[in-house]
Amino acid sequence: MNLRHITLHQLRLFYSVGKHLSFTRAAEELHLTQPAVSIQVKRLEESVGIPLTEQIGKRLFLTDAGRELFEACRDVLERLRVLNEDMIGMEEGVKGPLNISAITTAKYFMPHLLGAFLKDYPRVEPRLTITNQAKVIRRLEDNLDDLVIMGTVPTSSNLELAAEYFLDNPIVVIAPPNHPLVGVPNITLERIAQERFLSREEGSGTRAARIRLFAEHGLEANIYMELGSSEAIKQAVMAGLGISVLSWHNLRLELEAGLLAVLDVQHFPLMRQWYAVHLKGKKLSNTSKRFLDFLLQDGARMWEDINNTRLHLPAHHVNLMSPIDPKP
């Protein structure tokens, strides 16, 4: 075995093959031909002295040695990426790429916070990926982003994560403005459980928070319909199909326009949290460290300034739910 002659080009190439488990997709990603990729992997195997891949039927797999090399490629390429960004930052200040992914609900505030950050650091090149919880977790596992924005930090996986709380996430009960319970003070959970509920799909953090609260009081919501997005929920509530529970961050425009109303229900709002998350061993670039500092120090104040409004409910109704421990 001789690793001294392995080139950086081969490491990039093998990392792409291992990521996609496909010579064809690796070739497309690197703008090479498939035979060129196959030849380079064969040369890499000759340098290492053991097979790195195996073909079973039409599927490509990494051998044990291939998986070890794949992880080494990931580490080397990540360290080189961070080193490059840090060098640029030391020479020219905060600039260059900033890759953020966030769960769907964060689309209501993350573009605004990014915009505020870019006013101070206009040479930063942000890329914001908004997707569902499962895909965000997959991106986190694959280390595709500098930071991941999520409300529920995974605790059941083998990932070692660093999670920093930066913003509250009040969850409220909403109804159409002509609903008979609008303006009624101190509505009990028992009373609200009798209403027709419009629920998010399984896997939603908002749904989990509502189920947990009702279960603590021996109640179940009267589920009338399940919908796959906050936008669909809002439209259904406005149409008078029922009431629901959503993050207040989703509702700013509808509340200001008088299209929805927040009900005064005991134990609401439920206060959950937004976290900026990354792999614990990840070395953040100068730019991503500066953005994380911005979120922790100024994110909540900036978002409040952008809203120019605050949620007002009697203080004794607020239930501060314990945040999920971000440590796995």
Side-chain angles (χ1 to χ4, degrees):
M1 180 184 296
N2 190 346
L3 301 180
R4 289 181 298 173
H5 301 300
I6 293 178
T7 67
L8 186 57
H9 174 67
Q10 288 175 323
L11 292 182
R12 288 197 178 99
L13 187 147
F14 186 73
Y15 177 74
S16 184
V17 170
K19 181 172 63 174
H20 297 296
L21 292 177
S22 166
F23 290 118
T24 301
R25 292 183 64 188
E28 291 171 353
E29 181 178 70
L30 299 172
H31 306 290
L32 298 170
T33 64
Q34 183 175 339
V37 172
S38 300
I39 289 170
Q40 287 297 323
V41 170
K42 183 158 186 63
R43 288 178 180 170
L44 186 59
E45 288 180 324
E46 290 171 356
S47 295
V48 174
I50 16 178
L52 300 173
T53 65
E54 56 184 350
Q55 191 88 28
I56 302 178
K58 294 184 178 180
R59 297 184 63 188
L60 183 71
F61 296 88
L62 297 182
T63 63
D64 289 342
R67 284 191 290 271
E68 289 290 330
L69 183 59
F70 174 77
E71 291 301 325
C73 290
R74 187 209 298 267
D75 291 342
V76 169
L77 295 175
E78 172 67 10
R79 289 180 69 85
L80 287 174
R81 181 192 68 82
V82 171
L83 177 62
N84 180 63
E85 292 177 10
D86 281 347
M87 291 296 183
I88 293 173
M90 284 186 271
E91 182 181 2
E92 304 178 14
V94 179
K95 63 168 293 185
L98 175 64
N99 295 316
I100 308 290
S101 69
I103 64 168
T104 308
T105 312
K107 70 183 180 182
Y108 296 99
F109 62 85
M110 277 309 297
H112 295 282
L113 294 181
L114 267 175
F117 180 72
L118 292 176
K119 287 180 181 178
D120 291 332
Y121 304 104
R123 293 187 293 173
V124 170
E125 302 163 11
R127 180 179 179 182
L128 176 61
T129 301
I130 301 289
T131 186
N132 61 36
Q133 178 89 353
K135 290 182 180 177
V136 162
I137 293 174
R138 198 174 309 128
R139 292 182 66 87
L140 187 60
E141 291 171 341
D142 292 339
N143 195 27
L144 296 179
D145 302 290
D146 297 303
L147 294 169
V148 172
I149 306 301
M150 56 202 322
T152 303
V153 181
T155 58
S156 59
S157 71
N158 294 323
L159 294 175
E160 290 192 18
L161 302 175
E164 300 274 8
Y165 152 74
F166 70 94
L167 184 67
D168 285 328
N169 182 23
I171 297 174
V172 296
V173 183
I174 59 169
N178 60 351
H179 193 282
L181 291 179
V182 172
V184 175
N186 203 25
I187 304 166
T188 65
L189 278 183
E190 288 78 10
R191 173 66 185 84
I192 211 68
Q194 299 171 17
E195 294 292 314
R196 292 195 311 196
F197 259 85
L198 307 174
S199 175
R200 283 292 304 272
E201 78 286 2
E202 189 172 354
S204 160
T206 304
R207 169 186 169 129
R210 186 255 304 157
I211 290 175
R212 172 181 163 187
L213 175 65
F214 276 51
E216 287 173 353
H217 293 81
L219 298 169
E220 289 186 13
N222 176 25
I223 302 301
Y224 179 64
M225 190 183 300
E226 285 191 6
L227 296 164
S229 72
S230 297
E231 291 301 317
I233 291 279
K234 288 190 288 187
Q235 292 298 322
V237 173
M238 285 188 276
L241 296 179
I243 67 172
S244 192
V245 171
L246 283 181
S247 167
W248 180 73
H249 293 307
N250 300 9
L251 304 168
R252 180 171 59 94
L253 297 178
E254 289 81 6
L255 293 177
E256 290 176 357
L259 299 173
L260 291 171
V262 174
L263 298 183
D264 184 2
V265 180
Q266 291 177 3
H267 308 289
F268 282 90
L270 299 175
M271 295 300 293
R272 295 183 66 79
Q273 291 76 26
W274 287 106
Y275 296 96
V277 184
H278 61 82
L279 297 175
K280 187 169 285 187
K282 183 181 182 68
K283 186 179 186 302
L284 297 180
S285 68
N286 186 46
T287 299
S288 55
K289 281 189 289 189
R290 190 63 60 92
F291 182 65
L292 178 58
D293 289 342
F294 166 79
L295 289 180
L296 299 180
Q297 296 171 16
D298 301 314
R301 178 183 58 80
M302 283 284 186
W303 180 234
E304 187 175 311
D305 290 345
I306 291 165
N307 276 317
N308 196 27
T309 182
R310 300 184 70 177
L311 176 64
H312 292 287
L313 281 180
H316 65 280
H317 289 170
V318 177
N319 178 35
L320 294 176
M321 291 179 63
S322 299
I324 296 175
D325 186 352
K327 299 176 183 177

